[in-house]
Amino acid sequence: MELAQTNNSTCEANHNSTSQVGLALQEGKKSYQDSSSVEFSVTNFVKQSLNHKKTDKTVKFLQWFLLLFPIILGLLVFLYDRYLIYRAGVFQQQVEMLERLWQQGIEQ
């Protein structure tokens, strides 16, 4: 019994909500001309907010760039300095090897 009453009340609620949707659609058709100005203002607002988001993205990009550029530049200078030290060590080893070979050639 309770299940049947619940089903009946659910059907009535669905019927009421569909009739309310139908009324809302009819009122929407009547007020289409009024809503065109509202749609224009909404469209204008959306365009302005999109432009604002573009400027926000640009500002964030510039902030990150200004923050990271000195860090990356310092890191590159440090790594290049380490590379030069490494190459100087390799060059020194090659020079020492050539000097030993030269000394061996003179002694023979």
Side-chain angles (χ1 to χ4, degrees):
M1 291 286 281
E2 291 177 15
L3 180 62
Q5 288 175 351
T6 306
N7 285 340
N8 286 339
S9 63
T10 305
C11 289
E12 288 175 10
N14 286 340
H15 179 64
N16 287 341
S17 65
T18 55
S19 64
Q20 289 174 355
V21 169
L23 288 174
L25 287 174
Q26 289 175 357
E27 288 176 5
K29 288 178 183 177
K30 290 178 184 176
S31 64
Y32 178 73
Q33 292 174 348
D34 295 335
S35 67
S36 64
S37 64
V38 172
E39 288 177 27
F40 177 74
S41 64
V42 168
T43 305
N44 194 15
F45 174 75
V46 169
K47 286 181 183 177
Q48 287 176 355
S49 61
L50 286 177
N51 287 338
H52 185 65
K53 288 188 183 214
K54 286 181 183 178
T55 57
D56 282 347
K57 287 182 180 181
T58 305
V59 168
K60 284 192 178 223
F61 174 76
L62 287 175
Q63 286 175 343
W64 279 106
F65 179 77
L66 291 175
L67 176 70
L68 294 177
F69 181 74
I71 294 170
I72 292 172
L73 186 63
L75 185 63
L76 288 175
V77 168
F78 174 76
L79 292 175
Y80 184 69
D81 186 43
R82 299 299 299 171
Y83 173 74
L84 288 179
I85 292 171
Y86 167 76
R87 290 301 301 154
V90 169
F91 179 73
Q92 187 64 34
Q93 289 175 352
Q94 290 174 345
V95 168
E96 290 173 1
M97 182 184 290
L98 287 173
E99 286 179 352
R100 276 182 281 157
L101 289 173
W102 185 61
Q103 288 296 332
Q104 287 176 0
I106 292 176
E107 293 174 0
Q108 290 178 358

